[in-house]
Amino acid sequence: MAFGTGTPVLAAAETIAVGTGSADAADDPEIYVSRYQPDTPVILGTDKKAGLYVYNIDGSVRDFAPTGPLNNVDLLEMDGQVLIGTSDRVKNGVALFGLDKDLKLRNLGFVSLPTSEAYGFCMAAVNFGDKTSPVVVVVGQRGDVAVARLNDVGGYSIIDTQRFEVGSQSEGCVIDAKTGALYIGEEAKGIWRYDVRAASNATRIHFAPAPSDILKPDVEGLTLMHEGDKTYLIASSQGDSAFAVWQVDADPVYKGRFSVMAGNGIDAVTGTDGVAARGGPVGPYPNGIVVMQDDVDSDGEAASTTRVKQNFKIVDWNNVKAALNIQ
């Protein structure tokens, strides 16, 4: 995989590598800060051959659920509770988890939402006018998408399923709960924007095409960074190991691209897949972090193109803002 071509930033920390070695295994991260334990944030990360990790903010392993192949992970918070969802590649649907008081995983069951092999996954608590409902989205490998509300009364079940086609292989997705925008990455063609609240998604906007100067296929992970009243969309440009950033709380404004280079005793991020972001205080990071998968995790700052292990890198959002001159 090529080394990054975006504006350089350094990682502040990295996680322990996922357990599956010499394979494309680490995939997608997510970040959780409990309102009850704000000083103990955790990072969730999938090993798509083996299960779901919980990492401490220093990158050490806190917990692991050996569930089998899980691809993408996301979470939502409603009524003071966190609900974690993952795309289950074998059962073809959504595996659900909670976190106990020790911030360790507990299994909450499975809901079937069949697509072609479940790749992408995102979820959010979305306001539909009459009520706020959990919404789950599964993106199948060939670009077929299933969107559904999640009934959380008396156990979890799927209601109001909508289906549509992106066009070709797709994975990354993210929902903006404030606006209802659903962003999906079609790997070879770029980012599409849909309305997750729409009865039909026949109408869509080609938000960012690929290949372009901004996105080099494959287009992979997508995430939103909420910072006060500002919202930023961050996308993985896997083809040149970079991350593109747009401000999307009003008319979209492109802010630039960054890449995570070797430094601080941590190797560079190459061939990146999933990405997650969270604004506000996250442990020692006062204004938030960006976490991304690294396709080749080598020791120290040594450069390597041979995949032996994979992990997740942690980048201070302040460093991204400084690099891209985001005010």
Side-chain angles (χ1 to χ4, degrees), residues 76-84 96-97 108 110-111 123-126 131-136 148-160:
L76 61 80
E77 297 177 73
M78 287 186 66
D79 303 322
Q81 302 295 317
V82 60
L83 178 65
I84 298 161
L96 297 168
F97 301 87
L108 296 180
F110 172 84
V111 291
M123 65 193 305
V126 179
K131 64 176 295 188
T132 297
S133 298
V135 173
V136 292
R149 292 200 210 189
L150 191 63
N151 181 4
D152 59 351
V153 178
Y156 294 100
S157 60
I158 293 294
I159 56 176
D160 299 333

Side-chain angles (χ1 to χ4, degrees), residues 20-304:
T20 302
S22 300
D24 183 16
D27 194 276
D28 191 45
E30 190 49 84
I31 305 154
Y32 177 61
V33 181
S34 168
R35 68 180 67 184
Y36 307 109
Q37 297 171 268
D39 295 332
T40 313
V42 293
I43 295 168
L44 304 159
T46 57
D47 178 334
K48 61 186 176 186
K49 310 294 185 185
L52 182 62
Y53 282 88
V54 181
Y55 293 100
N56 295 308
I57 195 63
D58 65 359
S60 60
V61 175
R62 190 181 190 93
D63 195 22
F64 175 68
T67 59
L70 301 176
N71 212 60
N72 281 192
V73 60
D74 203 352
L75 62 84
L76 61 80
E77 297 177 73
M78 287 186 66
D79 303 322
Q81 302 295 317
V82 60
L83 178 65
I84 298 161
T86 60
S87 48
D88 190 311
R89 303 175 69 186
V90 175
K91 295 179 182 178
N92 214 355
V94 183
L96 297 168
F97 301 87
L99 289 172
D100 65 20
K101 63 181 180 180
D102 295 321
L103 297 175
K104 294 187 175 182
L105 294 164
R106 52 189 174 90
N107 195 319
L108 296 180
F110 172 84
V111 291
S112 179
L113 193 58
T115 60
S116 60
E117 184 178 347
Y119 262 34
F121 176 77
C122 51
M123 65 193 305
V126 179
N127 187 286
F128 286 84
D130 56 338
K131 64 176 295 188
T132 297
S133 298
V135 173
V136 292
V137 178
V138 174
V139 181
Q141 181 188 24
R142 65 175 177 80
D144 54 315
V145 180
V147 180
R149 292 200 210 189
L150 191 63
N151 181 4
D152 59 351
V153 178
Y156 294 100
S157 60
I158 293 294
I159 56 176
D160 299 333
T161 303
Q162 177 199 160
R163 296 181 181 276
F164 59 91
E165 300 279 343
V166 177
S168 65
Q169 183 164 319
S170 304
E171 182 176 356
C173 72
V174 67
I175 302 167
D176 189 341
K178 294 179 181 179
T179 65
L182 166 63
Y183 299 92
I184 296 179
E186 187 176 7
E187 294 187 2
K189 296 186 177 180
I191 303 169
W192 297 93
R193 188 177 71 205
Y194 300 84
D195 184 349
V196 78
R197 297 171 297 195
S200 169
N201 265 301
T203 301
R204 62 182 182 174
I205 294 171
H206 203 181
F207 178 86
S212 69
D213 291 340
I214 297 174
L215 296 173
K216 305 294 184 184
D218 290 345
V219 178
E220 290 287 347
L222 299 176
T223 190
L224 292 170
M225 164 65 76
H226 299 290
E227 185 179 43
D229 60 356
K230 297 178 180 178
T231 301
Y232 300 93
L233 175 68
I234 303 173
S236 297
S237 176
Q238 188 180 73
D240 61 351
S241 303
F243 300 88
V245 182
W246 295 264
Q247 187 172 342
V248 294
D249 44 88
D251 291 337
V253 178
Y254 174 61
K255 292 294 186 178
R257 292 159 31 96
F258 69 93
S259 292
V260 183
M261 303 303 192
N264 293 335
I266 301 170
D267 62 300
V269 170
T270 53
T272 186
D273 200 324
V275 61
R278 182 169 180 124
V282 181
Y285 307 98
N287 293 311
I289 57 174
V290 184
V291 180
M292 63 283 290
Q293 182 258 21
D294 182 12
D295 183 72
V296 179
D297 175 37
S298 54
D299 293 330
E301 295 184 25
S304 175

